[in-house]
Amino acid sequence: MDRIRTLRRRLPERAVDAALAAGVLAAEFVTGVVALDDQCRVCDFTAARVVTILLMSLPLYWRRRHPIPVFVVVGLAATYNGVIDAPALNLGILVAVYSVAAYASLAWSLGALAVTVGAIVVIHLDRGGLGPEFRLDLTAFLPVWLLGRLSAAHLRHIDDLEARAELADRDREQRTALAAAEERRRIARELHDIVAHGMSVMVVHAENASDTVESEPALARRSLDVIAETGRGSIEELRRVLGVLRDADRPELLPQPTLADVATLVERFDAAGLTVHLDDTVDADVPASVGASAHHIVREALTNVIRHAGASTARVSLGTDDDRLTVIVSDDGRGPAGDRGDRGHGLRGIRERAEALGGSADFTPPPGGGFRVAATLPLDPGP
């Protein structure tokens, strides 16, 4: 397909048709000079003869865009030239018949063929009969017409291929744009998780350190140590993300955590001052994509507990039921404030992660108070 497009660009249609018209014009003039014979009724180049030759050649420049008018003009000129029995190669009418067959509908091309055959009959009857020359003319025009019809089919095939190629290009561009948008959302979620988690832990411990710096210096130092450790961890994660983004040759955009990393994540939040209990009853193989999403959901939910809930304890429950992984994060905090369940990038990110795998997420307060994030993820998320 690319070769066809390149060839079409290298051979502009108008330039080709201009050269063709000029070539036919030159050939007919040369024939008029060197092929004079005693049977010619109008052998000298009168104004009418010159106009006839021009009409048999120059209209070919418009043969692709206006094949029917070109055929009519060239055909009338060729018929007149034949009636006066002037010497001619008749290249113009051959090209005109081919052009009608190639660029007009089947009905018009059949009509043009019938008119051409009729004109040949009239010319030869005027000359004295339908002899060998008549059969020779027919054998010249019929193959040209058939070649034009074959060319029409070929052109339709090329146009169809080009249309399909353009459609495939647009489809590929659309898929690329959708993939880029999805990748941007993924990056935004990753950065939000890293920054929100780190900053939330650091703010909580900074406040604790400020409150206890005089009364309990040891506790204040522990909070400062947690701030430093959390800051270093967040910086390292940001470097990892940004480093991968800079390297376009890396096949995987971001290294993903696994379900087994949830235990380490819980320990980090526990060390940050939030008592977290982990109930892990998963007894099935969990795909990497599902495990990564579950890890992100737990991290975002625990980050929200530190930032919003004012809770002292939280519980993370992981379990499998049939073909689904259940992730529940609950706390004993003050519960939802207003329409908290529908606000914030964090909860929206949790819902997006679950729905991206064909699962769901629910944000409701449990009967005893506090807040709960419950997500279900299919163990077979599909492609």
Side-chain angles (χ1 to χ4, degrees):
M1 180 54 61
D2 290 338
R3 288 196 298 269
I4 294 174
R5 291 175 176 173
T6 301
L7 181 60
R8 286 190 167 185
R9 286 194 295 267
R10 289 179 180 177
L11 297 176
E13 293 180 349
R14 295 192 179 185
V16 171
D17 291 341
L20 179 62
V24 172
L25 176 63
E28 294 296 350
F29 266 114
V30 170
T31 302
V33 172
V34 301
L36 301 180
D37 55 45
D38 295 336
Q39 297 179 352
C40 178
R41 300 178 187 176
V42 184
C43 292
D44 55 332
F45 280 96
T46 62
R49 177 83 170 108
V50 172
V51 170
T52 301
I53 293 177
L54 292 176
L55 292 178
M56 290 170 57
S57 55
L58 294 185
L60 297 177
Y61 176 73
W62 294 277
R63 68 186 186 91
R64 299 177 198 260
R65 287 163 286 171
H66 308 289
I68 302 300
V70 168
F71 168 78
V72 171
V73 173
V74 175
L76 289 174
T79 302
Y80 171 76
N81 195 74
V83 169
I84 66 174
D85 204 14
L89 294 176
N90 289 319
L91 296 177
I93 188 59
L94 286 171
V95 174
V97 169
Y98 168 86
S99 300
V100 172
Y103 303 112
S105 65
L106 177 61
W108 278 109
S109 65
L110 287 172
L113 178 64
V115 170
T116 302
V117 173
I120 295 174
V121 171
V122 170
I123 291 172
H124 283 276
L125 288 176
D126 181 67
R127 292 177 180 176
L130 304 180
E133 292 184 1
F134 168 74
R135 290 189 293 272
L136 181 62
D137 285 344
L138 285 182
T139 56
F141 280 97
L142 288 177
V144 168
W145 183 87
L146 290 174
L147 182 62
R149 294 309 303 168
L150 291 175
S151 177
H154 179 65
L155 290 174
R156 286 194 299 270
H157 178 64
I158 291 177
D159 290 340
D160 183 60
L161 290 178
E162 289 186 343
R164 292 183 182 180
E166 291 176 1
L167 182 62
D169 290 341
R170 288 196 298 270
D171 184 62
R172 183 166 51 251
E173 291 174 358
Q174 185 178 25
R175 288 199 304 269
T176 301
L178 291 175
E182 177 60 30
E183 205 58 71
R184 285 193 296 269
R185 286 193 293 269
R186 181 184 175 194
I187 294 170
R189 287 195 299 263
E190 293 290 341
L191 294 177
H192 174 270
D193 288 350
I194 293 171
V195 174
H197 165 67
M199 294 302 295
S200 297
V201 173
M202 293 169 68
V203 167
V204 170
H205 282 278
E207 292 174 346
N208 290 339
S210 177
D211 293 338
T212 59
V213 65
E214 294 182 357
S215 60
E216 299 181 73
L219 184 59
R221 282 195 298 272
R222 182 173 179 274
S223 294
L224 293 175
D225 290 340
V226 172
I227 291 173
E229 181 181 354
T230 303
R232 284 191 294 269
S234 296
I235 291 174
E236 182 62 29
E237 288 189 80
L238 286 173
R239 284 176 177 170
R240 171 179 59 85
V241 173
L242 297 177
V244 173
L245 291 176
R246 289 192 202 99
D247 190 354
D249 296 330
R250 295 276 286 271
E252 188 72 24
L253 181 60
L254 295 174
Q256 295 297 299
T258 65
L259 191 63
D261 295 327
V262 171
T264 303
L265 179 66
V266 167
E267 292 176 359
R268 289 171 56 187
F269 276 93
D270 195 70
L274 176 66
T275 301
V276 184
H277 302 286
L278 175 62
D279 299 328
D280 186 354
T281 60
V282 175
D283 58 359
D285 294 332
V286 177
S289 61
V290 177
S293 293
H295 183 279
H296 288 303
I297 289 172
V298 171
R299 181 168 67 176
E300 184 56 47
L302 291 178
T303 299
N304 283 343
V305 171
I306 292 179
R307 294 176 62 187
H308 304 294
S312 60
T313 61
R315 181 173 297 276
V316 177
S317 301
L318 303 175
T320 52
D321 181 14
D322 296 331
D323 57 349
R324 306 183 78 80
L325 171 67
T326 303
V327 181
I328 299 176
V329 180
S330 57
D331 63 70
D332 61 354
R334 51 179 172 265
D339 58 352
R340 168 190 166 194
D342 295 327
R343 290 185 177 178
H345 292 288
L347 297 182
R348 184 163 61 247
I350 290 175
R351 177 173 281 114
E352 288 176 355
R353 289 184 187 279
E355 292 177 351
L357 296 177
S360 61
D362 181 57
F363 314 119
T364 56
F371 194 74
R372 181 178 65 183
V373 173
T376 56
L377 309 174
L379 293 179
D380 184 13

